[in-house]
Amino acid sequence: MVNVLYFYAMIMSIVLIYIIGDISKILRNILAIFIFLYSLVSTVFVNEAGFTINVMKSMNLNMSFSYSGIGTFFVILNHIAFGVILINILNNINKKRDNGFLFNIFLIFYLTTLLFMSSNLFTFFIMWEFISILIYFNIGIFDKKENSGLKYILMNALGGMSLLLAMAMIFNFTGTLDFERLSSLYYLIPRSQAIVIILLFTFAMLIKSAFWGLHTWVKDAYMRSNTCFTAYMSSVLSKIGIFGLILLFYKIFPYDYVIQIFTFYNIQFFRIFFTIGGSITAILATIMAIKEQNVKAILTYSSIAQVGYIIASFGLGYRWSIISIMTITTVHLLIKTSLFSDLSFIEYKTGQTDGVELGGLIKVIPFTFVSTLISIIALAGIVPLMGFAAKWIYFENMFISGHYIALIISFLASTLAFLYCYKILSIVFLGIINEKNSSINYFSSLGDSIVTIVNMIIPIALVIFGFYPYPFFRFMFEKISKILPSANVFLSGNFIESSIGYWNPLNIATIVVIIFVSMFIIFVLLMRKPRKVSQYDIAMSAEPVRSHNNLHYVMNFYDGFLEVVKPITSKSSKRFYGKIYGFIEDIGDVLRKLHLNSLTSKNILTGIIIIVLIIVIWSAV
């Protein structure tokens, strides 16, 4: 049950995992699964009010947790993703030093659950900071040369300071940080101060969500992390910023009020910023994903692109906006959990994520291919899978709310996404298999078979909810009903309708299946009897190809397209941040030249101090 017992029991159990890990791997794995199931039952199947832990009684600052509303939805998603990732982790880690990694990611999972259960901003901030520190340690374990962890912690420290300042301003005007009370006290904050608070809060959340221009930490952090941990970062931890924005616009300040105070000269800058900014994030990240040849890097930029659609949904200003946010968030979380888990298994067996070293794996791990194929189809938003539902709702909202420029950009990004989706399938599973990879025993233990089966769970769910999404939408509507009591949606059975159209998933899926089955039958009947040949039974320029010839095409994948978009992919963001760094370094050089032993330097410094004091005293008067 969700009470203070859960808080302490989870902490003690996670510590016990670390201790037992040095004694027995089997006992450690059993305990880890038991703790996960305990958390699942405590937070999902038992609905209780929650609990409070006193921290600073004199200031009325408590860590307060509750299990209700939209936070519940995120808690359940967190458990679904972590459950699949945990099985992959337990199969992949074998050495004693890996106990620290398991301990770390379990603790992050637990703190993330508590963050989604936060009842006030103080609790949200404490969990935010603890998670950021633990992520830094995790990245640092696997990257001691590139300083990826340092890049991550610096950007997130900037976001943390911005969030802390916004919290201080809120507390100064309202005297509380409790979400339920803030929703009725927002009017106490002057308009000018409310604008500053929203900007500070939004800035922190956009850093966490990897909004384009604030995303420079993401690739290094994802690439240098253990792939299982990257799966959790991409699927769940990237949603912390989204969850924070939902709290800001639907719990702390009323959404309509935010739009109102950011409207100047009849221009709704709030909606324009989110819709245009989110759609630009989606298309730029998509182009960068197409450019990459490492599968992990492709999925990293794909994650940024998908988060771009979620961010754009905040600007819709329509009652379906929260539904669009929640649907895309759910689908993205499931798909990225599935794809990174499949990649984790491939890396565990081959030691590679670079497309040049892979290829042809459909011959040796066909079930992993099927799992990846289904997830890729869902990611591309193709019927009849759940990914289509997310895209349908998103584009429907864009059209209804009149954001036609953002709609065009988003549609172009969604279309271009087919390129990197196909690229992932092609460079990993199709083509000629590497001789070294063909000799690997991919099912050398029972754990390998279990991982393969578990990794199929989410793709199967994507198919089922694609055909019959009613249970998902019914559950989601129940969880968001408190912040959006009257969504303009008609939901009856498997029929979903908006003001301009309707969607019957079962009928659409049935038509698609009939078309594909018919095409397959025609293909089989008309196809000539195939002749089985070896993978090197091909010719190039009339010369037979030998086994030592390198025929891998990854290096030249989409060269023509990349030549066209070369100006966009020239790492302009890194140049921008490089100029800022250079400017700060130049200031540092000037300050270092002011030797304090010099009389002139002392006079200059004294003069600066006097001027600052005069300004401060004058302001106080």
Side-chain angles (χ1 to χ4, degrees), residues 510-526:
T510 302
I511 293 171
V512 171
V513 171
I514 291 174
I515 292 173
F516 272 90
V517 170
S518 302
M519 292 177 63
F520 177 76
I521 293 173
I522 294 172
F523 176 76
V524 171
L525 292 176
L526 298 180

Side-chain angles (χ1 to χ4, degrees), residues 217-231:
W217 59 271
V218 178
K219 182 181 178 181
D220 288 336
Y222 280 28
M223 291 295 293
R224 304 295 176 180
S225 298
N226 178 291
T227 303
C228 288
F229 185 70
T230 304

Side-chain angles (χ1 to χ4, degrees), residues 324-612:
S324 177
I325 293 165
M326 297 303 295
T327 306
I328 300 175
T329 295
T330 304
V331 172
H332 175 252
L333 180 142
L334 295 175
I335 291 173
K336 283 304 185 292
T337 300
S338 176
L339 289 175
F340 272 110
S341 295
D342 288 336
L343 181 61
S344 173
F345 178 70
I346 292 170
E347 184 184 28
Y348 171 61
K349 287 298 180 180
T350 66
Q352 297 291 337
T353 61
D354 196 319
V356 175
E357 302 296 331
L358 298 172
L361 294 183
I362 187 176
K363 301 178 179 68
V364 288
I365 45 174
F367 289 104
T368 303
F369 166 74
V370 172
S371 172
T372 304
L373 175 63
I374 294 174
S375 299
I376 285 293
I377 293 174
L379 179 65
I382 302 174
V383 291
L385 302 189
M386 189 61 183
F388 176 77
K391 291 291 179 69
W392 183 83
I393 291 172
Y394 175 78
F395 288 121
E396 183 101 347
N397 288 326
M398 277 287 181
F399 182 81
I400 292 173
S401 57
H403 294 286
Y404 302 119
I405 296 177
L407 174 64
I408 294 171
I409 297 173
S410 299
F411 188 79
L412 181 58
S414 181
T415 305
L416 290 176
F418 282 92
L419 298 181
Y420 72 71
C421 287
Y422 171 73
K423 188 173 184 178
I424 292 173
L425 289 173
S426 182
I427 66 179
V428 177
F429 295 101
L430 306 181
I432 298 175
I433 189 171
N434 187 305
E435 287 186 358
K436 181 181 69 174
N437 294 339
S438 64
S439 61
I440 296 173
N441 184 357
Y442 289 88
F443 300 98
S444 57
S445 66
L446 177 62
D448 295 334
S449 301
I450 293 175
V451 164
T452 302
I453 295 171
V454 169
N455 287 352
M456 286 293 296
I457 293 175
I458 289 179
I460 291 173
L462 291 171
V463 174
I464 293 173
F465 287 122
F467 279 85
Y468 188 66
Y470 174 78
F472 164 74
F473 282 108
R474 181 79 277 159
F475 179 73
M476 184 180 72
F477 291 158
E478 290 175 358
K479 298 306 176 186
I480 66 176
S481 60
K482 288 187 178 181
I483 62 175
L484 192 64
S486 55
N488 188 19
V489 180
F490 176 74
L491 179 64
S492 177
N494 212 44
F495 190 83
I496 303 173
E497 183 180 21
S498 73
S499 59
I500 63 169
Y502 68 91
W503 169 45
N504 191 320
L506 188 59
N507 288 350
I508 295 174
T510 302
I511 293 171
V512 171
V513 171
I514 291 174
I515 292 173
F516 272 90
V517 170
S518 302
M519 292 177 63
F520 177 76
I521 293 173
I522 294 172
F523 176 76
V524 171
L525 292 176
L526 298 180
M527 183 180 66
R528 296 178 60 184
K529 187 176 181 181
R531 178 173 64 91
K532 188 174 182 179
V533 296
S534 68
Q535 63 179 358
Y536 294 108
D537 189 5
I538 53 180
M540 186 169 60
S541 300
E543 294 292 331
V545 177
R546 308 300 180 188
S547 60
H548 63 273
N549 293 127
N550 183 12
L551 295 178
H552 213 296
Y553 48 86
V554 173
M555 298 295 293
N556 301 317
F557 222 103
Y558 300 137
D559 263 6
F561 172 79
L562 294 176
E563 189 65 29
V564 175
V565 298
K566 190 174 182 180
I568 300 176
T569 61
S570 58
K571 300 180 180 179
S572 56
S573 295
K574 287 191 174 181
R575 288 204 306 269
F576 172 73
Y577 285 104
K579 289 179 179 179
I580 293 178
Y581 173 77
F583 175 71
I584 295 173
E585 195 175 48
D586 290 341
I587 293 176
D589 289 337
V590 172
L591 294 176
R592 280 193 292 269
K593 292 177 181 178
L594 293 175
H595 301 290
L596 294 181
N597 291 328
S598 166
L599 181 61
T600 304
S601 299
K602 286 182 180 180
N603 292 336
I604 293 174
L605 185 60
T606 302
I608 293 174
I609 293 173
I610 292 172
I611 292 171
V612 171

Side-chain angles (χ1 to χ4, degrees), residues 117-188:
M117 293 170 61
S118 301
S119 296
N120 58 51
L121 269 175
F122 178 72
T123 307
F124 180 86
F125 178 75
I126 294 297
M127 296 301 109
W128 165 295
E129 287 300 306
F130 273 127
I131 292 169
S132 296
I133 293 170
L134 290 172
I135 292 174
Y136 166 70
F137 286 140
N138 206 305
I139 296 172
I141 291 173
F142 297 95
D143 179 31
K144 297 179 180 178
K145 295 181 180 180
E146 301 296 329
N147 292 323
S148 301
L150 184 60
K151 295 176 184 177
Y152 167 82
I153 201 65
L154 286 176
M155 288 296 291
N156 280 267
L158 185 61
M161 288 187 289
S162 179
L163 176 59
L164 183 61
L165 183 56
M167 286 170 51
M169 294 177 68
I170 291 173
F171 188 80
N172 179 56
F173 288 106
T174 64
T176 183
L177 294 174
D178 184 80
F179 293 133
E180 295 302 324
R181 294 182 62 191
L182 284 173
S183 61
S184 59
L185 296 176
Y186 71 93
Y187 64 88
L188 295 176

